[in-house]
Amino acid sequence: MGAANCLRWSERGWEAHNTDAPGWLDSWDQEIGLALQGRKAIVLGAGGACRAVLWALRHRQVGSLVLLARNPQRGRALLSPGEALSDFSTSALQAELEPGAVVVQTTPVGMWPEVQATPLNWPEHVPADCVACDLIYNPAPTRWLQDASERGLRCLDGRGMLVHQALRGILWWTGQQASSQGLAELLR
């Protein structure tokens, strides 16, 4: 993935691990439960969290992948062959949407305390069966997800990813399996 969010010391020295992608996939599986394989994926942003989401989507063999990035050079550096880059705009999002598409918002826009901010506006009409995902967990849902829900999209906020990241981190550090229900309650 090119990023780490967990470190531990062992006899071999420091070991690095990343729980972002598997945490997001665990959340997707638990809360959405649809296959990602063959779907079109549209990812907003080109920062650190984006790397993990791109890895997860590729791992699940999405049908096509489009990255909407404010910084084209940074965006291009994250793409694999056959993937597309588009500008970070509502018109680009509207042009890329198709039935069943998964849109993943990976920027910090809309996070507390800027809770009224949205990275992009949703088009007035969205194709059927699209899913909107936002990695932000405070607030949950974000205004961007609220707008998506008003247009009939299924939504996934960042709380589940945070819980599943913690579960995987605890297991990696301690060898102990924590309770997802208990962690979700603590987060709420």
Side-chain angles (χ1 to χ4, degrees), residues 7 56 69 87 92 95 149 171 173 180:
L7 296 173
D87 62 314
S149 180
L171 181 62
W173 285 314
S180 64

Side-chain angles (χ1 to χ4, degrees), residues 90 93 97 120-130 132 143-155:
T90 298
L93 175 61
L97 284 171
L120 295 175
N121 294 320
W122 284 100
E124 205 51 44
H125 301 286
V126 179
D129 301 322
C130 289
R143 180 170 169 230
W144 187 77
L145 281 183
Q146 291 171 21
D147 293 347
S149 180
E150 289 172 7
R151 286 162 176 75
L153 279 74
R154 289 183 69 179
C155 296

Side-chain angles (χ1 to χ4, degrees), residues 7 30 42 45 55 67-68 73-74 85 87 96 103 107 116 139 154 158-160:
L7 296 173
Q30 184 178 48
I42 304 165
W55 184 94
L67 181 64
L68 277 58
Q73 183 178 358
R74 191 178 203 184
L85 178 69
D87 62 314
E96 294 297 341
V103 184
T107 78
Q116 293 304 313
R154 289 183 69 179
R159 291 177 298 181

Side-chain angles (χ1 to χ4, degrees), residues 90-169:
T90 298
S91 59
L93 175 61
Q94 184 170 12
E96 294 297 341
L97 284 171
E98 64 182 43
V102 176
V103 184
V104 187
Q105 200 295 101
T106 70
T107 78
V109 177
M111 185 182 298
W112 187 88
E114 305 297 328
V115 298
Q116 293 304 313
T118 60
L120 295 175
N121 294 320
W122 284 100
E124 205 51 44
H125 301 286
V126 179
D129 301 322
C130 289
V131 181
C133 308
D134 198 330
L135 302 190
I136 294 174
Y137 54 85
N138 183 16
T142 58
R143 180 170 169 230
W144 187 77
L145 281 183
Q146 291 171 21
D147 293 347
S149 180
E150 289 172 7
R151 286 162 176 75
L153 279 74
R154 289 183 69 179
C155 296
L156 178 66
D157 64 48
R159 291 177 298 181
M161 178 180 172
L162 185 63
V163 165
H164 288 286
Q165 286 175 288
L167 290 170
R168 286 176 173 273

Side-chain angles (χ1 to χ4, degrees), residues 5-68:
N5 66 355
C6 297
L7 296 173
R8 71 178 176 193
W9 182 256
S10 73
E11 305 90 42
R12 296 181 304 250
W14 285 106
E15 297 176 332
H17 183 56
N18 193 309
T19 61
D20 290 343
W24 185 78
L25 288 172
D26 291 345
S27 177
W28 172 272
D29 292 342
Q30 184 178 48
E31 298 179 49
I32 301 297
L34 299 172
L36 285 164
Q37 185 174 2
R39 289 180 177 268
K40 182 174 190 175
I42 304 165
V43 179
L44 310 183
C50 175
R51 286 179 182 270
V53 169
L54 292 174
W55 184 94
L57 294 168
R58 291 171 185 138
H59 182 73
R60 290 285 177 93
Q61 301 171 336
V62 293
S64 63
L65 197 146
V66 178
L67 181 64
L68 277 58

